[in-house]
Amino acid sequence: MNVDTQTYLVVLNDEEQYSIWWADRALPAGWHREGFSGSKEECLARIGEVWTDMRPLSLRLRMAEAAAGTAAGTVAAGAVATETVAG
């Protein structure tokens, strides 16, 4: 049986997407260390703990902006309706 004794790193990119990488190799462009290292199983478990939202960061930000815009539009519409009734 082939036992994997390699040490791995938990890495992530600017979109906050996680992966594992061999500890003895240079990181690929666009990826940086998350701070955890260990066996493949330990690194995958770490990723399972910290990567709870699989959406890329850019998508999460766009969705938050859209939700904030919708909330602002609802408040503005309510203000117009109040003025119309009061006027």
Side-chain angles (χ1 to χ4, degrees), residues 38-56:
S39 68
K40 182 183 281 188
E41 292 78 19
E42 291 168 331
C43 289
L44 292 173
R46 171 66 180 166
I47 291 171
E49 293 170 4
V50 297
W51 196 13
T52 57
D53 189 341
M54 303 300 258
R55 298 173 298 166

Side-chain angles (χ1 to χ4, degrees), residues 68-80:
T70 301
T74 302
V75 171
V80 170

